[in-house]
Amino acid sequence: MPAPIRLRELIRTIRTARTQAEEREMIQKECAAIRSSFREEDNTYRCRNVAKLLYMHMLGYPAHFGQLECLKLIASQKFTDKRIGYLGAMLLLDERQDVHLLMTNCIKNDLNHSTQYVQGLALCTLGCMGSSEMCRDLAGEVEKLLKTSNSYLRKKAALCAVHVIRKVPELMEMFLPATKNLLNEKNHGVLHTSVVLLTEMCERSPDMLAHFRKVRKLSSSQLVPQLVRILKNLIMSGYSPEHDVSGISDPFLQVRILRLLRILGRNDDDSSEAMNDILAQVATNTETSKNVGNAILYETVLTIMDIKSESGLRVLAINILGRFLLNNDKNIRYVALTSLLKTVQTDHNAVQRHRSTIVDCLKDLDVSIKRRAMELSFALVNGNNVRGMMKELLYFLDSCEPEFKADCASGIFLAAEKYAPSKRWHIDTIMRVLTTAGSYVRDDAVPNLIQLITNSVEMHAYTVQRLYKAILGDYSQQPLVQVASWCIGEYGDLLVSGQCEEEEPIQVTEDEVLDILESILISNMSASVTRGYALTAIMKLSTRFTCTVNRIKKVVSIYGSSIDVELQQRAVEYNALFKKYDHMRPALLERMPVMEKVTTNGPTEIVQTNGETEPAVLETKPPPPGLQPASQANDLLDLLGGSDITTVIPTAPTSKPASAGGELLDLLGDLNLTGSPVSAPAPQIAQPPFLLDGLSSQPLFNDIAAGIPSITAYSKNGLKIDFNFERSNTNPSVTVITIQASNSTELDMTDFVFQAAVPKTFQLQLLSPSSSVIPAFNSGTITQVIKVLNPQKQQLRMRIKLTYNHKGSAMQDLAEVNNFPPQSWQ
């Protein structure tokens, strides 16, 4: 058989192919020749054939049939064969294929080979594609090579150890003794791989991190001082052609050391203090004219911001990011804006010094930089700079791309609501946003602005005049037109009378106002909602205006036959007001009262002033009391299924809405209840009878059976519920159960709801709980009273359902309580 062509000739031949089909034909022909050679067990040219096969694999053609040939080359005694064999194994094999296990013994032999280059090949292969089984078998050989004095092998063994730790984390402790002397090596390759190994160990194991922080402080080779010494030597050393990159000594090693220092110094005062000085030296001595220096400075900034560094050092880090904003490289500017956005809450005043540079980034042509600058600008707004920042952001809103307008408008609304220096400024700002980007604002912008205007009584005349002028001839911004229509309908008399004191009043007649509203109704740009606002405004003006009532009647009657159903319904109702209930019209259309602001952010909100953030507790009022409707109780009875389940009759409000009762839908789904059959269904009544009528005049919680022991009804996931029992002194058939819910976890349990159901022979009544939040660490409890009427003295059984929120997740559980003490029901 003739000798196969060389790899170089194959590459040259393939490159002459003019079409994909021609190249594919050449590859198929060569693959056929390689297969024939493999079948004939041609050892002479196996290495050459595998090399050509790897080239075809890199071109994207299948080469799996060469896997076993790679194993044969690895078993060869020639270094050239081993080199191609190991390369083929790394390219063609992975841990998902069982073939790779056949090379475990070869790798083990080569790790103990007398030639360092063969050992290096085995280490590279194991570190690249070794499975967890291979790593367990060969970890001992890797650990031996990690202790050798040969720098070439130590650096490869360190990287291989990183792969072993990732595959088999429990083998981490095996490499711990070998790490003691790694950082004493002068070879930069060994230092680099050693830092990578230490970083991997610290990231994967909190125990290892604590070991390197604490234990080594007592030894002569402390980790943080060692890293500080290496880093100091790097920045203070002179020119070294072997490690120099753009005038900086080994920037790759510097970056790796800074990342490891960041991990060691996080949440640790002693380690942070030990590295403060060297971080300051790196930040001040690194050259920033080249990208290499900027990379080191960026890692330095991240380390300073992540550890417990001094305040002056943090200011230095933020100033470095400020210099990055002036860099011509867009990537560096983007990185600086992203980093400042992360630190603005903790170092607000330091970031404020670079406000002008950040605002200039709003004019950048790059959209990603523009978005980061917009987000950071909103984060910098406070009570002192709100006027200047809003001016810049409004200018940005005018000129930015459409995809920015929605986010920018929302940010301006929130900032104006939080830091508005006056109500007039607040109204003017929101009107400017509606005029500029009205089509992009959120749905709640219109009702929020209406509420703001309503509550600003002294600004009514000014606002209606400004809005009237804003919509003259331009109905393109629908939210603005809606607000203007509402205000004209409410305060049209102020507009016509010209009572505005804040600016020069305009002379407007009643007919001109109606002309504007009618043009909104017939405009093609007006949405259905906007037409509804305009028609309602015209109707309201029938009580504000005196000379144009007949015209208003005519307009309203016209839209009684509109094809828009919503508009038609409004018009028909307004016509009925004119014809049948005209005496009620002035009262129905009188001016809206001041609206109360509804807080939807929970019991606490963040109050930020001049960059200092502190929680402010808001007073929350309980919802007004209300009884659960009888129909809902009957629906609940149907949902629970069967005639042996009783309804739950509430006597006091709970913190949950009434619809929560429906959640008992499957509470008794599989509870085997054996209550007495009911001969006839319970009659439906308008209001459920009070469960314990006649007891209200007597103390309900007098305990005439003091010996009733308490029970633990539920204990799971840190939530514990105890039942305490009392018997009424007026009705022995009534058992009063007081539940106590406690929480032993580290976070509060919120929105806690306790529900219960009993067999039909009992009657059960749940009173409202003392709270809906169970404090953490057993620092408090929730109490709730259950009254059970048991006229037949049967054994008490209960199914309970618990719902609550914990650690951001909604939790729900069912439990059956059958261990009631006999004293509680006999």
Side-chain angles (χ1 to χ4, degrees):
M1 184 176 180
I5 61 174
R6 296 177 180 273
L7 174 62
R8 186 176 301 176
E9 295 175 5
L10 175 66
I11 295 173
R12 188 182 299 115
T13 303
I14 290 176
R15 287 179 177 174
T16 60
R18 296 180 180 180
T19 63
Q20 187 71 29
E22 190 176 348
E23 177 187 298
R24 197 160 45 242
E25 183 181 355
M26 293 178 182
I27 295 292
Q28 290 173 352
K29 183 178 179 181
E30 187 61 31
C31 283
I34 292 175
R35 281 194 179 92
S36 299
S37 178
F38 287 164
R39 281 195 296 268
E40 294 176 5
E41 294 292 334
D42 184 2
N43 297 327
T44 307
Y45 298 108
R46 179 179 285 124
C47 180
R48 179 184 298 180
N49 287 331
V50 172
K52 291 188 291 184
L53 203 58
L54 296 180
Y55 175 72
M56 296 176 195
H57 171 75
M58 291 190 298
L59 291 179
Y61 294 96
H64 57 277
F65 59 89
Q67 292 173 348
L68 290 177
E69 302 304 317
C70 294
L71 300 184
K72 294 176 182 177
L73 289 176
I74 291 173
S76 173
Q77 298 301 316
K78 295 181 180 179
F79 176 75
T80 53
D81 288 354
K82 283 185 178 293
R83 183 176 60 181
I84 295 297
Y86 276 122
L87 177 62
M90 285 186 278
L91 289 175
L92 302 181
L93 292 176
D94 58 42
E95 60 181 272
R96 293 172 297 179
Q97 299 161 341
D98 294 335
V99 180
H100 81 283
L101 296 174
L102 300 175
M103 58 191 293
T104 304
N105 195 50
C106 291
I107 293 179
K108 184 173 184 178
N109 293 333
D110 287 342
L111 288 175
N112 296 312
H113 202 276
S114 58
T115 305
Q116 65 174 5
Y117 300 108
V118 174
Q119 292 175 295
L121 288 175
L123 285 170
C124 285
T125 305
L126 179 60
C128 176
M129 48 77 64
S131 63
S132 56
E133 294 85 353
M134 291 177 65
C135 290
R136 285 192 179 92
D137 294 338
L138 303 176
E141 278 72 16
V142 176
E143 192 262 345
K144 291 177 185 176
L145 293 176
L146 198 57
K147 295 179 180 178
T148 186
S149 59
N150 189 325
S151 300
Y152 175 82
L153 291 177
R154 290 184 81 182
K155 67 182 181 181
K156 291 182 178 293
L159 287 181
C160 188
V162 171
H163 180 78
V164 172
I165 290 173
R166 288 173 180 169
K167 288 294 181 183
V168 193
E170 57 265 27
L171 296 178
M172 193 180 303
E173 292 186 6
M174 176 187 293
F175 300 103
L176 187 58
T179 60
K180 294 182 179 178
N181 299 319
L182 284 176
L183 295 181
N184 295 326
E185 180 70 44
K186 293 184 179 180
N187 183 284
H188 282 216
V190 177
L191 287 176
H192 191 119
T193 54
S194 302
V195 173
V196 173
L197 175 60
L198 292 169
T199 303
E200 188 71 24
M201 296 172 75
C202 290
E203 285 180 336
R204 289 190 171 267
S205 171
D207 294 336
M208 283 292 173
L209 179 59
H211 171 80
F212 287 126
R213 279 175 176 169
K214 307 298 181 185
V215 177
R216 301 194 73 162
K217 292 178 182 179
L218 306 176
S219 63
S220 58
S221 56
Q222 301 176 18
L223 183 55
V224 173
Q226 275 187 299
L227 295 172
V228 169
R229 173 179 52 80
I230 296 170
L231 191 56
K232 187 173 183 180
N233 291 337
L234 286 173
I235 63 175
M236 296 300 180
S237 63
Y239 174 76
S240 173
E242 185 179 357
H243 308 116
D244 182 84
V245 178
S246 299
I248 294 178
S249 178
D250 204 342
F252 305 101
L253 179 57
Q254 290 192 45
V255 167
R256 284 291 181 182
I257 292 175
L258 288 168
R259 290 179 182 174
L260 181 54
L261 288 175
R262 187 189 318 160
I263 296 172
L264 293 169
R266 188 180 297 142
N267 300 323
D268 188 79
D269 294 326
D270 296 335
S271 300
S272 300
E273 185 178 355
M275 62 183 75
N276 275 334
D277 292 341
I278 189 62
L279 292 175
Q281 291 183 38
V282 174
T284 54
N285 294 337
T286 303
E287 178 63 39
T288 59
S289 59
K290 298 292 179 64
N291 207 35
V292 176
N294 291 326
I296 294 175
L297 284 177
Y298 177 62
E299 290 293 336
T300 305
V301 168
L302 294 182
T303 303
I304 291 173
M305 305 310 294
D306 215 12
I307 68 172
K308 295 190 173 182
S309 53
E310 300 170 351
S311 59
L313 198 57
R314 299 179 74 85
V315 172
L316 176 61
I318 291 174
N319 290 340
I320 291 173
L321 294 176
R323 291 204 304 271
F324 280 0
L325 293 177
L326 302 174
N327 198 295
N328 293 327
D329 192 311
K330 294 180 180 180
N331 294 323
I332 294 177
R333 294 204 301 276
Y334 180 82
V335 162
L337 289 168
T338 304
S339 302
L340 287 171
L341 191 59
K342 294 177 181 177
T343 61
V344 67
Q345 296 300 331
T346 54
D347 298 273
H348 191 88
N349 293 330
V351 180
Q352 282 283 0
R353 299 190 184 101
H354 305 280
R355 190 172 66 237
S356 60
T357 311
I358 294 167
V359 170
D360 287 340
C361 291
L362 291 171
K363 305 170 186 175
D364 200 287
L365 297 177
D366 190 282
V367 291
S368 57
I369 292 177
K370 201 179 294 187
R371 180 169 293 279
R372 280 288 179 266
M374 179 185 71
E375 294 170 354
L376 184 54
S377 296
F378 282 121
L380 290 176
V381 176
N382 59 26
N384 293 335
N385 61 25
V386 63
R387 291 181 182 271
M389 290 297 292
M390 286 298 105
K391 183 178 179 181
E392 295 289 346
L393 288 166
L394 285 169
Y395 176 77
F396 172 72
L397 183 64
D398 286 338
S399 57
C400 68
E401 292 83 353
E403 59 264 26
F404 289 104
K405 290 186 182 292
D407 292 335
C408 186
S410 298
I412 292 175
F413 285 162
L414 293 174
E417 182 178 2
K418 199 171 188 179
Y419 302 110
S422 66
K423 288 187 176 180
R424 174 173 175 174
W425 181 90
H426 192 181
I427 293 172
D428 287 345
T429 301
I430 296 183
M431 285 176 56
R432 170 79 181 277
V433 174
L434 293 179
T435 305
T436 305
S439 303
Y440 299 93
V441 299
R442 299 178 310 183
D443 293 339
D444 60 349
V446 172
N448 285 347
L449 179 55
I450 289 174
Q451 184 181 50
L452 173 64
I453 294 171
T454 304
N455 296 346
S456 307
V457 179
E458 69 281 2
M459 302 297 299
H460 288 168
Y462 167 77
T463 305
V464 71
Q465 182 170 311
R466 284 288 310 275
L467 286 168
Y468 177 80
K469 291 192 291 187
I471 64 170
L472 282 175
D474 182 15
Y475 310 132
S476 58
Q477 306 295 344
Q478 291 295 292
L480 179 67
V481 177
Q482 292 168 13
V483 176
S485 299
W486 188 91
C487 286
I488 291 172
E490 282 289 311
Y491 315 117
D493 51 337
L494 302 179
L495 176 63
V496 173
S497 64
Q499 297 178 1
C500 182
E501 299 178 358
E502 284 75 10
E503 64 178 18
E504 182 179 352
I506 57 175
Q507 298 299 322
V508 183
T509 64
E510 294 182 3
D511 286 320
E512 289 175 338
V513 174
L514 290 177
D515 288 342
I516 288 289
L517 293 175
E518 286 188 48
S519 61
I520 293 173
L521 280 171
I522 64 176
S523 173
N524 292 329
M525 291 187 290
S526 296
S528 176
V529 176
T530 307
R531 290 191 174 97
Y533 273 95
L535 186 61
T536 303
I538 291 175
M539 185 63 188
K540 286 181 180 179
L541 291 178
S542 66
T543 62
R544 275 72 162 169
F545 291 172
T546 57
C547 305
T548 54
V549 176
N550 291 330
R551 179 180 174 181
I552 292 174
K553 288 181 179 179
K554 183 184 294 186
V555 172
V556 171
S557 63
I558 290 174
Y559 284 92
S561 57
S562 172
I563 60 172
D564 187 329
V565 177
E566 173 69 20
L567 209 59
Q568 182 188 111
Q569 181 179 348
R570 289 174 186 255
V572 169
E573 291 170 352
Y574 297 158
N575 272 323
L577 269 181
F578 277 123
K579 295 177 180 178
K580 297 182 180 179
Y581 308 101
D582 198 57
H583 61 285
M584 300 172 58
R585 183 165 50 85
L588 290 173
L589 301 177
E590 66 181 3
R591 192 164 292 174
M592 291 288 291
V594 175
M595 305 178 188
E596 287 188 9
K597 182 71 174 177
V598 179
T599 303
T600 58
N601 295 328
T604 60
E605 67 176 7
I606 300 300
V607 179
Q608 185 175 352
T609 307
N610 298 332
E612 297 180 0
T613 305
E614 57 183 9
V617 179
L618 300 180
E619 189 173 344
T620 58
K621 297 181 180 180
L627 291 177
Q628 186 179 7
S631 61
Q632 183 177 339
N634 293 327
D635 292 342
L636 179 61
L637 176 62
D638 296 336
L639 287 173
L640 288 171
S643 61
D644 58 345
I645 300 167
T646 185
T647 58
V648 179
I649 307 175
T651 61
T654 66
S655 60
K656 281 285 184 180
S659 62
E663 295 176 0
L664 281 173
L665 130 95
D666 59 347
L667 194 54
L668 296 176
D670 59 344
L671 183 59
N672 184 19
L673 304 175
T674 57
S676 302
V678 181
S679 59
Q684 296 190 7
I685 51 179
Q687 182 176 355
F690 186 60
L691 178 63
L692 305 176
D693 277 339
L695 295 181
S696 57
S697 60
Q698 298 287 341
L700 187 60
F701 296 97
N702 288 342
D703 188 6
I704 62 173
I708 303 179
S710 302
I711 64 169
T712 299
Y714 181 91
S715 181
K716 189 188 294 185
N717 300 327
L719 175 61
K720 182 181 179 183
I721 296 180
D722 294 325
F723 281 9
N724 300 315
F725 302 91
E726 294 173 330
R727 298 289 290 274
S728 171
N729 61 351
T730 58
N731 187 350
S733 299
V734 174
T735 302
V736 179
I737 306 173
T738 303
I739 74 166
Q740 287 187 329
S742 59
N743 170 20
S744 61
T745 66
E746 68 277 5
L747 293 177
D748 293 348
M749 295 178 179
T750 59
D751 299 330
F752 176 79
V753 176
F754 175 92
Q755 295 172 299
V758 292
K760 187 67 177 180
T761 53
F762 300 83
Q763 279 191 311
L764 179 140
Q765 188 175 32
L766 278 174
L767 276 67
S768 59
S770 59
S771 175
S772 63
V773 178
I774 313 178
F777 300 111
N778 291 323
S779 58
T781 60
I782 287 181
T783 60
Q784 188 170 2
V785 175
I786 308 174
K787 305 173 186 177
V788 180
L789 180 62
N790 184 9
Q792 301 181 19
K793 301 293 185 180
Q794 293 188 354
Q795 182 177 355
L796 182 58
R797 302 180 67 188
M798 184 181 295
R799 173 63 66 88
I800 62 175
K801 180 178 181 180
L802 310 169
T803 56
Y804 57 93
N805 290 326
H806 192 224
K807 296 181 180 179
S809 301
M811 309 293 289
Q812 178 175 307
D813 200 6
L814 292 171
E816 187 175 340
V817 186
N818 295 321
N819 58 336
F820 288 91
Q823 301 93 319
S824 65
W825 52 270
Q826 287 180 352

